[in-house]
Amino acid sequence: QVQLVESGGGLVQSGGSLRLSCVLSRRTIDYIGVAWFRRAPGKDPEGVSCFSSRDGITNYSDSVKGRFTISRGNAKNTVYLQMNSLKPEDTAVYYCAAVNERFFAQGICTMDRASYTYWGQGTQVTVSS
């Protein structure tokens, strides 16, 4: 069982930046695939970014590419989502999700919610215009 705790959300003006943190309840994220999803009011959940610690790959949705960066923290059980040039349409609850990659033949980095086993409670991001 892996527990995830997100933090770092808040209210920011358009063009501003925020850094979200996802802390996993294990010493390291080795062989853990981690992704960020978001859900805006009245919209379907959207995959934002993912990271495979097994393969070292990252991916981003077209809507955030070039503005958001997913990274592994110096604390080995933390993943960050650096969000720059924020827009009002980025307003949503952001969720961190994880999957144990040891159960699969390759790393997991996907925007498919069904691929992830563990989920955090979410952190609200609000971008004002």
Side-chain angles (χ1 to χ4, degrees):
Q1 187 76 12
V2 178
Q3 294 179 332
L4 306 164
V5 178
E6 305 99 331
S7 63
L11 174 64
V12 64
Q13 289 188 334
S14 181
S17 298
L18 285 173
R19 188 178 76 164
L20 305 183
S21 299
C22 176
V23 179
L24 283 72
S25 63
R26 50 187 294 156
R27 290 183 298 172
T28 175
I29 62 170
D30 289 346
Y31 288 95
I32 295 290
V34 180
W36 287 94
F37 292 82
R38 67 186 181 186
R39 185 162 194 166
K43 294 187 178 180
D44 292 332
E46 174 191 13
V48 173
S49 181
C50 60
F51 166 70
S52 166
S53 62
R54 180 172 180 163
D55 294 346
I57 60 175
T58 59
N59 199 9
Y60 300 90
S61 67
D62 289 340
S63 61
V64 307
K65 197 170 294 183
R67 300 188 297 123
F68 290 11
T69 303
I70 191 170
S71 64
R72 183 173 181 170
N74 289 331
K76 296 184 182 297
N77 64 341
T78 303
V79 173
Y80 297 110
L81 183 69
Q82 178 66 44
M83 306 186 297
N84 298 329
S85 301
L86 283 162
K87 305 174 182 179
E89 51 262 44
D90 294 318
T91 295
V93 178
Y94 284 70
Y95 298 90
C96 180
V99 61
N100 191 333
E101 296 177 308
R102 293 186 184 275
F103 298 137
F104 301 89
Q106 60 189 19
I108 304 296
C109 180
T110 174
M111 305 301 179
D112 179 8
R113 290 178 291 152
S115 296
Y116 295 90
T117 309
Y118 308 106
W119 290 81
Q121 294 300 308
T123 184
Q124 176 71 47
V125 171
T126 303
V127 185
S128 63
S129 56

